[in-house]
Amino acid sequence: MLIKNVKVFKEIGAFEAGEICIDGEFFSDYADGAVYDGEGCYAIPGLVDIHFHGCVGEDFSDADEKGLRAIARFEAAHGTTSICPTTLTLPEEQLARTCKRIAALGESGGARVVGIHLEGPFISYNMRGAQNPEFIRQPDTEMVRRLQAAAGGLIKTISLAPELPGATGLIEECGGEIICSIAHTEASYEIAMEAFYAGARKVTHLYNAMQGLYHRSPGVIGAAMDYPKCHVELICDGVHIHPSVVRATFRMFGDDKVIFVSDSMMATGMADGKWELGGLEVEVSGRYVHIVDTNTIAGSVSPLIDCVRVAVQEMGLAFESAVKCATVNPAKAIGVFDKVGSIEAGKYADLVLLNEDLSIKQVFLSGKLYNA
């Protein structure tokens, strides 16, 4: 297939007028066969979401095969073609079952699974946010190894609080195989820096569930800014972070280190009302999700493409930077950039054509027009 007359996103963070060649499942340097005219469209890589919990009434932590496929189809239809299912703070037995189900999914009929993200259960009680306090526990390297075995090696990221006893040892032992990410934490600047030097390479939903950036106590945010090898997640749904802070974050970190994530939960794509997150009752009203008992913000109901649009249209970020943060950067952060995340020969031909208003015109998945 040849896709012509499009503005093609390049890894460097710029658009160039041109065409895209697809040979079978992959981008290529040549093409024959069908021609698709994308006149006036932006052509961006399929989005890569490395932190979200579910959608369409389904949660990764308890969905069956049918539910997992429903999630994957919804994500692909909304331009996210590579996903890293994210668990919650739950008992080990449930986490193991979840890892096994995700690993066994195979061809989903939608977005491809490129990893698993364990968010918890090794988190701070006081910074638990929307995580269930009943199942919080101390870092346990052997537990992570058991879960990785259940996942068939698919776990790419684990989010944890580095101040907990045993956290540094877990980071040192697992950091070569799993990206350790600082999250739900009371860590000081000094403890965060120790975690980075031990091997942590990411911060989960920056600003949320951690100390703020204070002039005499910069905390995790200041440490992440000072450590050059770390990525930071941002939830740009228009609820979690004020637009001014998002703009300031790009000035502090640059668009090479920022990763857009949706952190979406099961109510995404569904009606407002009462839902569940990790055994906690939550309520959805528009973009806002909160725990009923505590009024704590609890994830989002925005697919990743909505976060890209909000960042550009409501927060004033450069479109090129927003695309980079939802494609190139997440793929690099979890080590799958050789397969997805940019429009390059040899990679999966996952592609989203956007209209001028950034609405989706067409999704291509593994070189084929995608119809949910």
Side-chain angles (χ1 to χ4, degrees):
M1 178 182 289
L2 176 69
I3 302 173
K4 66 177 186 178
N5 297 326
V6 288
K7 291 165 276 192
V8 185
F9 180 79
K10 300 295 184 180
E11 180 191 345
I12 58 172
F15 284 93
E16 295 180 5
E19 58 188 28
I20 298 170
C21 300
I22 297 174
D23 182 13
E25 292 184 272
F26 305 99
F27 292 121
S28 176
D29 291 325
Y30 62 93
D32 53 20
V35 175
Y36 185 99
D37 191 346
E39 180 66 35
C41 287
Y42 296 103
I44 67 172
L47 306 186
V48 182
D49 199 347
I50 64 172
H51 184 167
F52 82 110
H53 300 280
C55 54
V56 292
E58 302 285 350
D59 189 296
F60 285 118
S61 293
D62 52 29
D64 58 13
E65 180 179 343
K66 181 180 178 182
L68 294 176
R69 293 182 186 280
I71 292 171
R73 289 194 297 271
F74 177 90
E75 291 299 311
H78 289 78
T80 299
T81 55
S82 295
I83 55 176
C84 203
T86 305
T87 61
L88 294 159
T89 294
L90 295 165
E92 180 178 350
E93 296 77 13
Q94 186 173 353
L95 292 173
R97 288 195 300 270
T98 300
C99 288
K100 287 179 181 178
R101 282 198 300 267
I102 294 170
L105 182 60
E107 177 57 47
S108 67
R112 72 172 50 82
V113 175
V114 293
I116 293 173
H117 177 175
L118 300 180
E119 186 181 12
F122 315 131
I123 61 173
S124 163
Y125 178 88
N126 291 332
M127 290 293 184
R128 64 190 182 277
Q131 301 284 339
N132 195 326
E134 182 178 351
F135 305 116
I136 292 173
R137 58 184 294 174
Q138 298 298 310
D140 183 340
T141 302
E142 291 308 310
M143 175 180 166
V144 174
R145 295 194 190 285
R146 291 191 295 270
L147 292 176
Q148 183 68 299
L154 199 56
I155 296 172
K156 297 289 188 182
T157 303
I158 180 167
S159 293
L160 77 168
E163 72 273 18
L164 298 178
T168 300
L170 189 155
I171 292 168
E172 290 174 341
E173 291 193 43
C174 297
E177 176 187 1
I178 300 172
I179 304 300
C180 293
S181 187
I182 297 177
H184 292 276
T185 177
E186 297 181 274
S188 64
Y189 173 91
E190 291 75 18
I191 290 174
M193 288 301 291
E194 288 176 9
F196 289 134
Y197 285 121
R201 290 294 179 268
K202 189 163 69 69
V203 178
T204 299
H205 46 49
L206 190 73
Y207 302 110
N208 296 110
M210 64 188 63
Q211 172 189 310
L213 178 65
Y214 299 112
H215 60 293
R216 284 190 295 272
S217 180
V220 172
I221 301 163
M225 186 174 59
D226 283 348
Y227 193 76
K229 299 178 182 179
C230 134
H231 284 93
V232 297
E233 295 180 0
L234 283 185
I235 307 171
C236 290
D237 62 346
V239 174
H240 279 76
I241 311 171
H242 192 280
S244 177
V245 176
V246 172
R247 292 189 291 270
T249 302
F250 275 81
R251 288 193 289 271
M252 288 191 292
F253 289 91
D255 66 7
D256 287 331
K257 293 179 68 175
V258 176
I259 296 170
F260 283 176
V261 298
S262 69
D263 198 13
S264 65
M265 45 82 70
M266 62 160 49
T268 304
M270 306 297 283
D272 288 359
K274 299 287 182 63
W275 296 89
E276 184 180 317
L277 184 65
L280 302 174
E281 186 180 36
V282 302
E283 185 169 8
V284 176
S285 178
R287 291 180 183 175
Y288 186 72
V289 188
H290 69 278
I291 298 174
V292 172
D293 288 344
T294 64
N295 205 35
T296 302
I297 195 169
S300 87
V301 286
S302 297
L304 190 55
I305 189 64
D306 285 1
C307 295
V308 170
R309 291 192 197 100
V310 168
V312 175
Q313 297 174 344
E314 300 180 22
M315 297 180 173
L317 295 182
F319 179 38
E320 294 84 353
S321 291
V323 172
K324 185 176 182 179
C325 293
T327 57
V328 175
N329 295 353
K332 285 183 175 180
I334 64 167
V336 296
F337 190 62
D338 59 326
K339 299 178 178 66
V340 298
S342 66
I343 302 170
E344 296 179 82
K347 295 188 178 184
Y348 283 110
D350 300 338
L351 186 71
V352 183
L353 298 186
L354 298 176
N355 297 307
E356 290 290 335
D357 64 356
L358 306 190
S359 61
I360 293 177
K361 179 175 183 178
Q362 185 63 60
V363 176
F364 293 81
L365 183 64
S366 296
K368 296 180 180 178
L369 287 166
Y370 184 76
N371 296 301

